[in-house]
Amino acid sequence: MRESRRHAVLGALGMLAAVVLTGVAIVAATAARTILVPPRARDEDTEVLSVDESAGTITLGRSPDAVVDGRYSFWFSGSRGHARLGAIVSETSDSVTRELLSVTSGDLGRARRGRLNGWFLLTPNDLDVDFDTVDIETELGPAPAWLIPVAGTASGSSQHSGPWAIHVHGRAVVKAETLRAVPVFRDAGYTSLVVSYRNDTEAPPSPDGRYALGDAEWHDVDAALAFALEHGATSIVLMGWSMGGAIALQV
């Protein structure tokens, strides 16, 4: 009888272990898919309570992002609409009113939800600098980039002799994320090359359509290095954001 109970307990523990391991495997597979597969849509996790464009304010439902001070982009209508938000004006227990600096696209007055992100600039035009849009020839095809010369140097030149900085964005965003760093490098005398890479919606996709967390994307940044050297770079700094840092380290 005692031996039967022992076998029953061991059998139950074995079944429990199998269930736990199966659950862990499912969670791990889901997490891996979330990390490796480029997202098709973004969650709009912040509620729009009211918009007063005449007063230059927007009131949002409280969320972890909405309560952080600073300047942010606000995307709405499935990322087709975009606005720029500034400092917090007032707060209540369930809302946050912020400065509404501008609406660059879409009808914010009709929006009910949206999402904030930390990059504020969309193109080099927002920096009021000369720039060229160029193509980096990668093994998968041309990847668009912005070439921003140092102050006092006109765009359109095929050669920019001197130090360069190559800016590499993070996972699941686009090259505009890195524009915030360009003024620092530009003031220090660096030509900036703001690049795209495979699977970021701007550059060609990889055959499997998945991120490799730097293990494959580095080839595209290596092609950007070659471009910089061909166009006058005497030294190069790689500036990587998030997964872009991993890509830079792979390079």
Side-chain angles (χ1 to χ4, degrees):
M1 188 70 173
R2 187 175 297 172
E3 189 68 19
S4 297
R5 288 179 180 175
R6 180 172 175 272
H7 287 162
V9 169
L10 290 176
L13 289 174
M15 291 177 64
L16 178 61
V19 169
V20 170
L21 289 174
T22 300
V24 169
I26 291 172
V27 170
T30 301
R33 179 176 176 80
T34 300
I35 293 170
L36 298 179
V37 177
R40 295 182 178 179
R42 302 302 183 89
D43 291 336
E44 295 186 339
D45 56 2
T46 300
E47 187 179 4
V48 179
L49 300 179
S50 65
V51 176
D52 189 340
E53 294 197 40
S54 62
T57 61
I58 180 172
T59 300
L60 307 171
R62 291 186 74 89
S63 71
D65 292 329
V67 298
V68 181
D69 210 358
R71 300 190 308 166
Y72 298 92
S73 282
F74 187 70
W75 301 88
F76 56 95
S77 299
S79 295
R80 295 184 300 275
H82 175 264
R84 292 190 175 98
L85 310 188
I88 294 173
V89 176
S90 63
E91 300 182 52
T92 70
S93 60
D94 56 6
S95 69
V96 180
T97 299
R98 307 187 68 109
E99 293 177 335
L100 175 59
L101 302 178
S102 65
V103 179
T104 57
S105 62
D107 185 353
L108 184 57
R110 296 172 63 88
R112 295 296 174 262
R113 304 190 68 83
R115 61 182 177 86
L116 291 117
N117 69 17
W119 42 282
F120 189 75
L121 307 170
L122 299 184
T123 78
N125 286 322
D126 295 325
L127 293 171
D128 194 26
V129 297
D130 289 330
F131 71 98
D132 290 308
T133 299
V134 299
D135 283 331
I136 306 298
E137 292 301 326
T138 74
E139 61 192 18
L140 297 177
W146 290 316
L147 176 58
I148 305 170
V150 297
T153 303
S155 60
S157 173
S158 62
Q159 292 291 312
H160 298 276
S161 181
W164 284 44
I166 296 178
H167 304 259
V168 187
H169 67 77
R171 175 191 165 278
V173 292
V174 291
K175 62 184 186 292
E177 178 195 30
T178 70
L179 284 172
R180 62 187 117 173
V182 167
V184 176
F185 283 95
R186 193 167 183 266
D187 291 345
Y190 285 77
T191 292
S192 282
L193 187 63
V194 179
V195 302
S196 59
Y197 55 78
R198 62 191 67 192
N199 299 319
D200 68 2
T201 74
E202 295 184 319
S206 62
D208 63 2
R210 296 185 174 222
Y211 296 123
L213 307 183
D215 198 42
E217 294 85 356
W218 75 268
H219 291 280
D220 302 338
V221 178
D222 193 51
L225 283 175
F227 178 95
L229 292 172
E230 291 169 3
H231 290 81
T234 56
S235 62
I236 299 172
V237 171
L238 289 179
M239 174 70 178
W241 298 77
S242 190
M243 191 178 91
I247 297 170
L249 290 172
Q250 291 278 19
V251 174

